[in-house]
Amino acid sequence: MPELPEVETIARGLNRRLSGDTIDSVWIGSRPQPLKSSPSAIASTLEDRRIVRVHRAGKHIVFDLEPGNGQRKPSRRAARNAQWIVHLGMTGRMVVTDPATEIARHTHLIAKLGSGRELRFIDPRMFGKLSVHPAGFDPGGVEPLEVGERQFVALFRGRKTPIKSALLNQKLLRGVGNIYADEALFRAGIRPRRRAAAITREQFRKLHQSVQEVLREAIALGGSSINDYVDADGEAGFFQLQHRVYGREGEPCLVCRTAIKRAVLAGRSSHYCPKCQR
DNA sequence: AATGAAACCTGACAGC
DNA sequence: TGCTGTCAGGTTTCAT
């Protein structure tokens, strides 16, 4: 479901609402799929912790935790600061809610907060992942909004893989997903199937710029709401109104009126203008 | 080493 | 109404 702009929006919302709050206790559901750490590790790491800050790393939501109030002298396990890592997969959601709110289907974790509220993780398809980690979690790859042009080019130069596959590779660039890869490639005038090795320096310059531009604009609009994506406050995003190719198969290109094409590349729908993109 | 297909899951929707 | 097929914003694993 969410790519970098959506995760950024959600993390900002969670940070605004949760930083300073504490996690008093945790309920974990019986489905093991979303758990990358053991239930006991998750519970012991989260319980009696203070949420210092919530932020984003690639498509991961990162909760920075420190020992909570109850521990004047931190014991072994609580001694160090820790991180709670949440990946939303395709359908994961994090909601902050009143305990009286009915528990939605596919709720896999509920954290009871010191403020009296609850933080719930809901994920129907269970592609999402929860884990706990000592401070210093590193998802690999570089942040698309921080990478400079030189390093950006170096990531891709010489690779035989289609440029879109490379853009989606989280070990290279972290956070770009299907929608924003298509949108960035359109703005740069490059076809998704183009081999990275066949892209000129000038086109890479354009692509670097396009990736950052698309992500920044999307964050400014709160992300793209295609089906039911909403941020931590239940607000939809609006970047879907700015999509130039994604989801527009058969519709006219906004630049040249040619019908937008859809092709499957590496199992993902890829949308492009056959005339504007070469 | 590198690519593509399949698998992991459920829900929504279109068409019959 | 209900069945079947298709698709989904992600990632990992397996076979070629």
Side-chain angles (χ1 to χ4, degrees), chain A residues 25-44:
Chain A
S25 63
V26 171
W27 170 88
I28 296 172
S30 58
R31 307 302 294 274
Q33 286 91 334
L35 308 181
K36 284 189 88 173
S37 304
S38 71
S40 60
I42 292 174
S44 66

Side-chain angles (χ1 to χ4, degrees), chain A residues 151-276:
Chain A
Q151 195 189 357
F152 181 88
V153 175
L155 288 176
F156 302 115
R157 181 145 54 190
R159 290 178 182 269
K160 294 178 197 135
T161 190
I163 184 61
K164 180 170 174 188
S165 302
L167 286 173
L168 294 178
N169 183 342
Q170 304 294 301
K171 293 292 174 226
L172 301 175
L173 214 52
R174 65 191 196 204
V176 176
N178 205 35
I179 293 179
Y180 298 104
D182 279 3
E183 293 297 319
L185 286 167
F186 172 76
R187 294 190 186 199
I190 302 169
R191 286 204 192 188
R193 257 187 224 286
R194 197 67 182 290
R195 309 274 140 184
I199 292 174
T200 65
R201 175 70 203 221
E202 175 57 21
Q203 287 177 313
F204 268 128
R205 194 190 60 73
K206 194 81 201 294
L207 183 58
H208 172 250
Q209 195 181 313
S210 300
V211 166
Q212 297 198 334
E213 192 179 275
V214 161
L215 295 176
R216 285 205 189 94
E217 289 176 22
I219 290 171
L221 292 181
S224 301
S225 289
I226 302 286
N227 289 322
D228 54 359
Y229 157 76
V230 288
D231 67 15
D233 294 325
E235 300 287 336
F238 294 98
F239 191 73
Q240 67 278 11
L241 303 174
Q242 306 295 321
H243 292 176
R244 299 182 192 174
V245 287
Y246 185 83
R248 298 192 64 243
E249 180 183 13
E251 294 175 38
C253 169
L254 299 175
V255 172
C256 74
R257 316 303 294 169
T258 303
I260 298 300
K261 280 198 166 187
R262 183 176 86 95
V264 176
L265 197 172
R268 316 299 306 280
S269 276
S270 301
H271 311 74
Y272 64 98
C273 170
K275 187 168 172 210
C276 294

